[in-house]
């Protein structure tokens, strides 16, 4: 698990309070604060702007970013269509990936998403195998039989395959990673890179949300 974190989680560094957050990010710079995908991906959000987060439950940076991101999504309201994609990251992460998509399929994401993060990062439950996931679900009040049936269903297998295909299409090499309307890619580390050295992780997260605001506005204007 630790090796996976080192290999796949976004590298975020800097001491808290080491730098002052830039005054604004109304005009984020391409190639610094964000990058544009070489091949734009289709969206299914109509006139609304699609926002996708690629993340993993085991990733400490995804866990740290989640509260800010959730609040940002809440404030955006009907302006966006927000989706999460739990990345594929080897066999050891499959139970966590299946956990996410099972919660999603059962309509339980809002209620249990944060609890799943906390199980790993606070309670130190590794979710290293299916039984650990089943036990956690049952202890948290989810019908075990229904959860297990959904977890092992063809539909969840299809969602995992879809996640792998999306990672390839969007060229996902690190997480958390945010894609705005199938074209613009940013993240706390990407936005922090644009601001220069010395930002704390929290400052990078805050700056990335400013960049996301600007990119949502840009994508919305381009929709006409």
């Amino acid at each position: 698990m630790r090796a996976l974190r080192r290999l796949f989680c976004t590298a975020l560094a800097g001491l808290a309070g080491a730098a002052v957050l830039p005054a604004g990010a109304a005009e984020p710079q391409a190639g610094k604060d964000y990058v544009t995908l070489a091949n734009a991906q289709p969206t299914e959000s109509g006139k609304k702007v699609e926002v996708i987060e690629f993340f993993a439950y085991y990733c400490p940076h995804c866990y740290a970013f989640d509260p800010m991101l959730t609040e940002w999504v809440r404030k955006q309201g009907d302006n966006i269509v927000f989706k999460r994609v739990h990345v594929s990251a080897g066999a050891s992460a499959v139970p966590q990936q299946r956990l996410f998509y099972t919660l999603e399929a059962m309509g339980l994401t809002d209620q249990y998403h944060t609890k799943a993060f906390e199980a790993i990062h606070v309670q130190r439950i590794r979710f290293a195998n299916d039984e650990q996931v089943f036990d956690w679900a049952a202890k948290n009040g989810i019908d075990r039989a229904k959860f297990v049936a959904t977890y092992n269903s063809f539909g969840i297998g299809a969602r995992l395959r879809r996640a792998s295909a999306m990672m390839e299409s969007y060229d996902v090499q690190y997480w958390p990673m945010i894609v705005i309307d199938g074209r613009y890619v940013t993240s706390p580390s990407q936005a922090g890179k644009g601001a220069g050295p010395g930002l704390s992780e929290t400052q990078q997260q805050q700056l990335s949300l400013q960049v996301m605001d600007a990119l949502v506005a840009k994508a919305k204007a381009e929709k006409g």
Side-chain angles (χ1 to χ4, degrees), residues 4-161:
L4 281 172
R5 289 176 183 170
R6 288 196 299 269
L7 287 171
F8 296 111
C9 291
T10 307
L12 297 174
L15 299 175
V20 177
L21 198 66
E27 297 295 337
Q29 300 298 305
K32 292 183 178 181
D33 302 298
Y34 72 95
V35 297
T36 302
L37 287 175
N39 298 305
Q41 298 300 304
T43 65
E44 300 175 351
S45 54
K47 289 293 184 180
K48 296 181 181 180
V49 176
E50 180 185 82
V51 178
I52 300 176
E53 180 202 19
F54 289 90
F55 84 102
Y57 275 139
Y58 66 78
C59 172
H61 304 301
C62 299
Y63 172 56
F65 188 42
D66 191 68
M68 283 190 187
L69 177 60
T70 299
E71 178 62 15
W72 180 85
V73 171
R74 186 191 67 79
K75 289 181 178 179
Q76 287 289 326
D78 290 338
N79 197 41
I80 66 170
V81 173
F82 178 66
K83 302 176 182 179
R84 292 184 177 96
V85 175
H86 193 299
V87 298
S88 303
S92 63
V94 169
Q96 295 175 27
Q97 194 181 18
R98 280 187 173 272
L99 165 59
F100 170 74
Y101 288 113
T102 301
L103 293 175
E104 185 179 65
M106 296 179 72
L108 299 174
T109 306
D110 289 347
Q111 186 176 352
Y112 289 98
H113 182 64
T114 298
K115 292 181 180 180
F117 263 131
E118 291 175 347
I120 296 174
H121 299 282
V122 178
Q123 301 165 26
R124 302 302 179 186
I125 301 172
R126 294 186 62 193
F127 291 143
N129 56 61
D130 297 342
E131 287 301 320
Q132 284 187 348
V133 176
F134 300 157
D135 288 345
W136 175 84
K139 288 177 181 178
N140 280 272
I142 302 174
D143 184 290
R144 186 185 183 101
K146 290 181 180 178
F147 184 91
V148 171
T150 305
Y151 184 97
N152 290 321
S153 68
F154 175 82
I156 298 304
R159 293 187 190 213
L160 266 64
R161 292 189 292 273

Side-chain angles (χ1 to χ4, degrees), residues 61 64-65 68 188 200-209:
H61 304 301
F65 188 42
M68 283 190 187
S200 70
E201 180 168 1
T202 298
Q203 289 172 322
Q204 289 178 329
Q205 292 166 353
Q206 293 170 338
L207 182 56
S208 69
L209 297 180

Side-chain angles (χ1 to χ4, degrees), residues 36-43 169-170 179-184:
T36 302
L37 287 175
N39 298 305
Q41 298 300 304
T43 65
S169 297
Y170 288 86
V179 181
I180 308 292
D181 221 41
R183 287 171 288 173
Y184 307 120

